[in-house]
Each structure stands twice: as C-alpha cells, then as structure tokens.
Amino acid sequence: MGRLFGTDGVRGIANKELTPELAFNLGKAGAAVLSKGGSRPVFVIGKDTRLSGDMLENALTAGILAVGGHVIKVGVIPTPAIAYLVKRYGADAGVVISASHNPYEYNGIKFFNGEGFKLDDKIEEKIEDIIIAGIDSKMHGTGEAVGKCLDAGDDAHGLYIDFLADTFEGNLEGLKIVLDCANGAAYETAPAVYKKLGAEVITIGCEPDGININDNIGSTHPEKLQETVVKTQADLGLAYDGDADRLIVVDEKGRVIDGDKTMCICAKMLKDEGLLEGNKVTATVMSNIGFHKYINEVIGADVDVTAVGDRYVLESMRETGCVLGGEQSGHIIFLNYTTTGDGTLSSLQFVKAVRNSGKKASELSDEIEIFPQVLVNAKVANENKNDYLKDKEIQDFIEQVEKEMEGSGRVLIRPSGTEPLVRVMIEGADVEKIQTLAQELADMISEKYL
C-alpha cells in the first residue's frame, strides 16, 4: 500500500480506492493517535452532498466509536464550518468527508486538529503508519469502553451562519447577488447568510441529488453563473466549489474575477483600513505577475511566495503573522477570521471591499492587469522529473526568455506530483510569443529526459 495522505487528506474513487474499510481504519487510527493521555477524543464530522458520503461517514464513525472515541455528526456542511465548529464544541478533532471540486464518484477524508487547523504532517504520518503496517491500533473496547454519538446541541448550521454574518459590518440591502453553490456543501448555508444580511439572493447549483455536485457548475465551471448574472442584471455572482472552501467571483458584466484579483481587491481594503498585518500578502508560485505588480506597485505591500497548495500558504502565514493569503483557484485564507479557506467568508470580504470602494466590481477588477499565462506539459520519464534543475542549457534558455520579457513576464517550471510530466508555464503580454516559447522549452525538456 502506498502513502495515504496527499496534500489535502485521503482521496480516491469512493468504494474502490476510498473504501468503507479504509474509512473505518482511518477512524480507528485517527482516534488512537489523537487521544490525549488515554482520554476519549471527540470528533466533529461533516460531509458534502456526494452519494458516498453516508457510507463513508458511518464507516468512519464506527472506527472512532470502536476504540472509545465520541462523534458529533453535523451532516452536510462546508469544510470551513468544521474548522469553526471543532473549536466551538471544544472537540479534539474535526473530519470532513469531501473531494472538494472533483466529480461525484470521488470522495475524501481530511482531518482538522482541535484548533481548527489541518493536521500536521507528522500526525498524518502516525495515522498512516498504523494503517499501512496493519497494526490494530487499540483493542476494540467492550461495554462502557465503546464510544457514542453525541448530540450537537445548538444547531450547527445556525452557529456557522451566525459566525459568518458577524464577520460583515452593516447589511446588504439593495444588493442583488447570484450564488452558485455547485450543488455542494454550501447550498443551505451561503444563501442563508446573504439573506440574513438583507441581500436579494438568486441561487443556482442549490439542488443537490448526490451525483450532480460540481457537474458543470460551481467555481470550476462559472459559465452558468456568468449567464445568470447578466440575465438578471445582478450586482455580483459568487461561485463556490463542492466543499465551499473556494471562491470565484463574476462581476456585473459577467466577467470572471479569479483568486489573484480577489486577493488584490481585498488586500487594498485591508491596507486602507490599517489591517494588512506586516504589510504583506501570501501567495503561491502560480500567482500571476500582474498580481505581484499590483500588490507591490499600487498597494505598496510585499508578497511572500510559497509552493502550490493552501497548506503551504497557511504554514507561511502562521510563521509571519500575515492575515491574507491564497491561490489563483480561489482558495483564500483570512487568518484574522478563520483557520482555513472559506468561500462564503471570502465572498463577504470581497463584497465589503466593493461596497467600501464606492465602485462596481468591474471597475475594481479593471484596475488590475493580469498577464496571459500559457501552460504546456513536457512528457518525461518519471525518474527524470527533476533533472532539468541541473541542466545548464535549459537554465540558460529560461534566463534568456525572462530577459527578453524585461520584467513583464516570467517562466515557471515544476514537476507534476502525480504524473510523468514537467509543467512549463510562461507569462507575458504577447500570447503568441509565449505560446511558442513554452512549446519550445517543453520540447527541449522532453527530448532530453523522456
């Protein structure tokens, strides 16, 4: 068996790769590792709308209960709600059953610690080691030693909705907003928050049936949202992914505002309010050069750059005290409010930035110049994926390309984490030119290392 945890929990095709047996063992091993001094750990479990969610939830729960842990089930709810509720309930850990933006046949299991942060790599490794080694992590308890499901008490959805509403000052009366919830976990909570704040709400992607999550809808497929915003003459469109930790915005003209632009607009708001701690924003290596220019030259702030993945963004933010960070994909973290990406919270902050500016979303978006990006995959032998790093001819070619673009473009090469590919990305003003250069560089890498 290979390693189980990826960059965002354990994922796979439900009932084939992510089986009930694996979910049961994750529950047992997780409860054994997270128990403190022999105490019974309490887990908060939530899920998205996938058909396989019930199966995995019950298997996971059985594993936790079998070794004496307790479980609080809160049903279909966004991933960031679990990060909030685990602290609210004083639980030891939270678990989300979701495969985020992936198709419905996939599912995943990811853990949060008692502070609402994703588990540290070392703790994940301990859980993995127990399962991979086939160790019975703890003898099944009998009698009073068996765990039980606890009552959530206060309405979990209501607590989360109230938390979100409290992050927004004032109300949204007079604002017409289209919400696209991807037929996923936010289909109840996001509309409830916006209605509570007084907005006129139009919804799409709010009729989950277990198999239509992310199906040509949501943050990865904003076309229907763009059409609906224009047709209804709405002020904004807001799209989330299946577990609602990402946000993609559509302006009143039906144009997409990606995560880079959203962070720029929110960073300016925080800077104007004196709340941009450390005068910096955290982003990954994939963020557009236009993002860097806006943050550096317009706002007068710095950018901390991390590897791709929200967990690396968060690690950096916690080290530096930065309060805003995220990715192009719309996974944005407002660390002064929460411990993980939250699509609904991010959208509220964006709406606040638009309202405070006195401008329309399109006007704010047009102030940010995003440079075209071209991505070409170079096929290589798996064992050669990192050899380009020491290849002088390739490094010289990259240096030459970046000199030609004179600060208005860049080259980024990185090996795929899952496939025998090296991804070549070039940014620049001239699309035809960067397409030619990217293909030339990809061909060079393939010829040398396939």
Side-chain angles (χ1 to χ4, degrees):
M1 181 187 289
R3 302 309 294 183
L4 300 174
F5 285 89
T7 56
D8 201 21
V10 180
R11 285 194 188 174
I13 297 174
N15 223 16
K16 180 180 179 182
E17 296 158 340
L18 183 52
T19 62
E21 292 83 2
L22 178 53
F24 177 76
N25 288 328
L26 283 166
K28 281 205 309 179
V33 169
L34 294 168
S35 60
K36 300 173 182 176
S39 64
R40 294 174 180 263
V42 177
F43 287 73
V44 181
I45 300 180
K47 60 188 176 184
D48 67 20
T49 57
R50 292 164 210 270
L51 191 62
S52 58
D54 291 349
M55 173 186 73
L56 295 172
E57 177 189 47
N58 286 310
L60 181 73
T61 298
I64 295 169
L65 302 184
V67 296
H70 297 320
V71 170
I72 301 173
K73 293 183 182 180
V74 295
V76 173
I77 202 163
T79 286
I82 296 299
Y84 167 74
L85 291 169
V86 73
K87 292 185 293 180
R88 177 66 185 248
Y89 290 139
D92 297 282
V95 190
V96 177
I97 301 167
S98 172
S100 187
H101 58 284
N102 293 122
Y104 87 95
E105 60 266 27
Y106 288 83
N107 217 325
I109 293 174
K110 55 187 168 186
F111 291 82
F112 290 89
N113 66 21
E115 296 178 336
F117 293 103
K118 291 177 182 177
L119 288 189
D120 181 87
D121 288 345
K122 292 180 180 178
I123 297 177
E124 287 186 345
E125 287 170 6
K126 288 181 181 178
I127 295 172
E128 279 190 344
D129 289 344
I130 289 171
I131 297 172
I132 291 172
I135 300 169
D136 191 352
S137 59
K138 189 175 181 183
M139 291 298 292
H140 291 190
T142 59
E144 293 182 356
V146 175
K148 61 183 179 180
C149 289
L150 305 176
D151 186 356
D154 294 328
D155 171 49
H157 290 73
L159 290 172
Y160 177 59
I161 290 165
D162 288 344
F163 158 70
L164 290 172
D166 287 345
T167 67
F168 191 90
E169 298 172 4
N171 62 63
L172 295 173
E173 291 177 6
L175 201 67
K176 184 190 289 187
I177 295 178
V178 182
L179 298 179
D180 177 355
C181 297
N183 291 316
Y187 83 100
E188 291 182 323
T189 54
V193 172
Y194 277 93
K195 288 175 183 177
K196 181 171 184 173
L197 291 171
E200 179 184 347
V201 177
I202 299 166
T203 58
I204 60 175
C206 287
E207 297 179 351
D209 61 10
I211 63 175
N212 62 359
I213 187 171
N214 302 316
D215 186 10
N216 292 313
I217 200 98
S219 61
T220 54
H221 299 281
E223 297 81 13
K224 188 174 181 180
L225 178 61
Q226 293 173 273
E227 179 185 332
T228 306
V229 167
V230 173
K231 184 178 179 180
T232 61
Q233 297 184 314
D235 297 291
L236 274 175
L238 306 168
Y240 312 116
D241 62 337
D243 68 337
D245 62 356
R246 298 189 193 192
L247 164 72
I248 291 294
V249 178
V250 169
D251 69 22
E252 79 282 357
K253 295 181 179 180
R255 302 180 304 178
V256 169
I257 300 176
D258 70 3
D260 278 350
K261 281 195 170 186
T262 297
M263 282 194 291
C264 285
I265 291 166
C266 290
K268 186 175 188 306
M269 173 186 70
L270 292 174
K271 174 84 179 224
D272 291 345
E273 293 178 342
L275 299 175
L276 192 65
E277 291 295 327
N279 197 36
K280 64 176 61 181
V281 180
T282 305
T284 76
V285 293
M286 292 302 292
S287 281
N288 194 276
I289 192 171
F291 166 86
H292 288 265
K293 283 180 171 290
Y294 186 87
I295 297 295
N296 296 152
E297 299 172 11
V298 178
I299 296 179
D302 298 321
V303 179
D304 285 340
V305 180
T306 76
V308 174
D310 67 282
R311 72 185 304 152
Y312 303 115
V313 172
L314 180 60
E315 284 174 9
S316 176
M317 293 174 71
R318 294 181 72 185
E319 289 175 3
T320 66
C322 179
V323 296
L324 175 63
E327 300 182 274
Q328 258 184 348
S329 62
H331 196 125
I332 302 170
I333 302 170
F334 288 85
L335 201 52
N336 49 348
Y337 288 114
T338 188
T339 55
T340 190
D342 188 324
T344 310
L345 190 150
S346 297
S347 68
L348 288 168
Q349 293 302 301
F350 181 86
V351 172
K352 178 184 175 185
V354 173
R355 185 195 64 179
N356 289 2
S357 72
K359 299 178 180 180
K360 294 180 179 179
S362 63
E363 294 174 313
L364 293 178
S365 177
D366 287 344
E367 293 173 1
I368 307 157
E369 181 185 8
I370 294 296
F371 288 70
Q373 288 181 331
V374 169
L375 179 66
V376 178
N377 289 325
K379 292 182 179 179
V380 296
N382 206 48
E383 63 272 18
N384 297 335
K385 283 198 293 189
N386 293 299
D387 289 356
Y388 70 88
L389 291 167
K390 301 176 183 178
D391 190 302
K392 187 176 186 305
E393 183 183 2
I394 291 173
Q395 297 306 316
D396 287 347
F397 184 89
I398 292 170
E399 185 177 346
Q400 177 190 334
V401 169
E402 290 188 330
K403 278 184 179 178
E404 283 182 24
M405 292 189 285
E406 299 178 337
S408 293
R410 64 176 180 136
V411 181
L412 175 66
I413 306 180
R414 64 187 184 93
S416 167
T418 57
E419 300 174 87
L421 300 172
V422 171
R423 306 193 191 282
V424 176
M425 190 275 285
I426 300 185
E427 285 176 352
D430 187 333
V431 177
E432 290 186 10
K433 182 177 180 179
I434 63 175
Q435 179 69 55
T436 300
L437 290 170
Q439 190 63 59
E440 185 177 345
L441 183 52
D443 290 343
M444 183 187 300
I445 294 170
S446 289
E447 287 171 8
K448 284 172 169 279
Y449 299 112
L450 184 59

